Each structure stands twice: as structure tokens, then as C-alpha cells.
Amino acid sequence: MNIKIVKDYAELSNVAGEIITDLLRENPYCNLGLATGGTPLGTYQYLTARFKAGEFSMRDVRTFNLDEYCGLPRCHPESYHSFMYSNLFAHVDIREENMHIPYTEGCDLQEQCERYNALLDSHRIDLQLLGIGSNGHIGFCEPGTPFDRETFVAQLSEETRRDNQRFFNSFEEVPRTAITMGIGNIMQARRVLLIASGEAKAECINQMINGPVTERVPASVLQNHPDATIIIDAAAASRLTGKAAAQLG
Ligand code: F6R
């Protein structure tokens, strides 16, 4: 894993945004894996600004999101469809037919998993952006998810639902399930770029980097990925031990 520790959230967003900008300039036909949640917001703002400055086009880029809640209509403000439109898609020139997000509204979820998985099988992702849950999840692959799992309907853990409660009016409103790429899909990406910010992520970041590769900490699987970049701010790096901690200075 290539680990980069930056000062704060603003720098994290710029560094991650720059890596994605470079890819979009080098390969305007790339397949880009995207994440939602609080962490990538600054990265998407950075990308929007660079797009508006005329530095790349997303006309021929295909995007593949990690996950989508079940039980929320697509038009719900907290669905990941809405998130992607508000925070990126509405501001760039990506074409509707090139945006892919698992579909969960009024349909057979198992069939949708199979469709999404077939799509991922036929479009290898060039770069997959990831956040990390405070319990070490990636996508919605919660602790205990087998490393070879492909797209599936995940049960969200209580911890994840509590973490995401900030986006909803109450804990009860937080969905209990989601369609997510599996770890098997995520590991197929040519490159992965994981970003983490803040003290709440410090413990799982240390386990991901220095702990054993174990299904109890899903992100630890990235130790086995041939091209994984991890960008963390000083707060998320604050419990790092071992070699990576030397970067803290
Ligand atoms: C989002 C996703 C999740 C989040 C993780 C961190 O598409 O798959 O794994 O990346 O829950 O969320 P934030 O960034 O809100 O802390």
C-alpha cells in the first residue's frame, strides 16, 4: 500500500482530486469507480472546479458507484443517486447512460445484484475511489464479509447505521440494507484510492494498515491489492503505529 499522510481535509480532497484529474486527462474513456458519504465531498468539489476550468471532459467516462441503499426511492435526498447528481453529475458533462449505480427501487434485488455484477465483469474499473467505515467496512461490506464476495444485498451493521444517522432525521429512518459491490469486485479494480479523514477513522486506519489481513476488518484486504493508494489526514493517522507512522514527523 502506498500511504500518504496530509495535513487536513482540504489537502486530502485536493490530492485525491488531483489523482482522479490526472486519470481523466490521460484516459478520457476510463471506467471510474465512485463512492458516496461525507469524505469524498471535497474531492467532488475539486473535480467540479477542474472540470469548469476546462481541464477534462467526462463525456466518454463510465462511472460505477459502490452501493445504493434499499428502501429509499431514487428521488429521496439521501439516496446515493441523489447524492451523485447533486455533488458531481449535475456539474460535469457525463452522459446519463454512462452513470451506473445499483438500482434498488421496487425491483427484484437479487436480479439487480446479478445485473450489476455482470456490468462490473464486462467493464474493469481503472480506479476505484473508496471511503472507510469506522468499523473498517469498504462499500457496504461489513466486518465478516467473505473476501471473494461479489455484488450482494448487505445488512448494514448497527454501527454503520449510527454513523449514517447524521444524514437522516432519526436512527429509524436509516436504511437497514443496501446493494453493494463485494470485496471480490473491489479487488478487481486496476487501482484503488482510499481516503479517510478525522479522528473517528484513526483506529480502523491503523488496523487496516498494520493489523492482520482479516475479514473482521474488510479494508485490511487492500494490503493484498497490487496498486492501492491510501490518503489520510493527520487526525485519521493519529493512531498509526509502525513504519507508516514515521511520516507523521
Ligand atoms: C459509500 C460507501 C461507504 C463509505 C463509508 C465512509 O459509498 O461505500 O463505505 O465510504 O461509510 O463514509 P463517510 O465518508 O461518510 O465517513
Side-chain angles (χ1 to χ4, degrees):
M1 288 193 288
N2 168 21
I3 298 152
K4 190 167 168 56
I5 301 174
V6 297
K7 189 168 57 126
D8 55 17
Y9 181 70
E11 193 183 351
L12 171 110
S13 304
N14 295 350
V15 172
E18 189 62 30
I19 291 173
I20 299 172
T21 299
D22 286 347
L23 171 69
L24 295 170
R25 288 163 66 114
E26 277 159 26
N27 180 3
Y29 294 88
C30 66
N31 294 326
L32 187 58
L34 297 174
T36 58
T39 316
L41 284 172
T43 305
Y44 294 148
Q45 276 164 14
Y46 181 95
L47 287 174
T48 300
R50 298 290 297 263
F51 170 78
K52 293 207 159 122
E55 295 186 28
F56 60 79
S57 164
M58 290 188 73
R59 244 195 83 75
D60 297 310
V61 172
R62 290 191 171 87
T63 60
F64 299 86
N65 266 79
L66 282 166
D67 38 27
E68 175 61 286
Y69 289 124
C70 300
L72 293 186
R74 270 201 301 182
C75 62
H76 188 287
E78 293 307 331
S79 79
Y80 289 163
H81 276 81
S82 298
F83 176 101
M84 288 312 304
Y85 272 89
S86 329
N87 295 303
L88 184 67
F89 295 160
H91 313 294
V92 295
D93 62 347
I94 185 166
R95 287 183 287 166
E96 180 106 30
E97 65 269 29
N98 287 344
M99 312 164 179
H100 304 287
I101 304 178
Y103 191 80
T104 60
E105 194 178 342
C107 58
D108 178 333
L109 296 176
Q110 204 43 52
E111 195 180 300
Q112 290 304 321
C113 289
E114 282 159 28
R115 277 187 180 209
Y116 204 65
N117 213 60
L119 196 65
L120 295 172
D121 280 348
S122 56
H123 297 85
R124 186 163 179 207
I125 290 177
D126 293 292
L127 184 147
Q128 175 66 55
L129 180 63
L130 296 172
I132 183 171
S134 57
N135 62 2
H137 73 220
I138 47 177
F140 274 132
C141 302
E142 298 281 27
T145 305
F147 283 160
D148 60 358
R149 204 76 208 263
E150 299 197 315
T151 312
F152 69 108
V153 180
Q155 301 289 326
L156 307 194
S157 68
E158 171 148 355
E159 190 176 359
T160 296
R161 293 183 63 231
R162 294 242 173 257
D163 285 346
N164 288 1
Q165 184 179 340
R166 68 193 194 280
F167 299 115
F168 294 85
N169 294 322
S170 68
F171 179 65
E172 273 314 300
E173 273 182 41
V174 185
R176 292 166 191 276
T177 53
I179 289 187
T180 181
M181 285 188 200
I183 292 173
N185 305 108
I186 294 170
M187 289 297 279
Q188 286 302 312
R190 286 194 172 84
R191 286 166 75 188
V192 299
L193 172 61
L194 184 143
I195 52 177
S197 167
E199 175 78 41
K201 303 290 171 71
E203 188 52 50
C204 67
I205 285 293
N206 188 47
Q207 286 179 30
M208 168 182 80
I209 294 172
N210 291 313
V213 176
T214 165
E215 290 171 357
R216 277 180 285 115
V217 182
S220 66
V221 75
L222 301 179
Q223 291 181 31
N224 293 339
H225 193 284
D227 193 348
T229 299
I230 315 294
I231 307 176
I232 46 185
D233 65 10
S238 59
R239 297 209 198 140
L240 267 187
T241 55
K243 218 167 65 185
Q247 282 188 56
L248 282 167

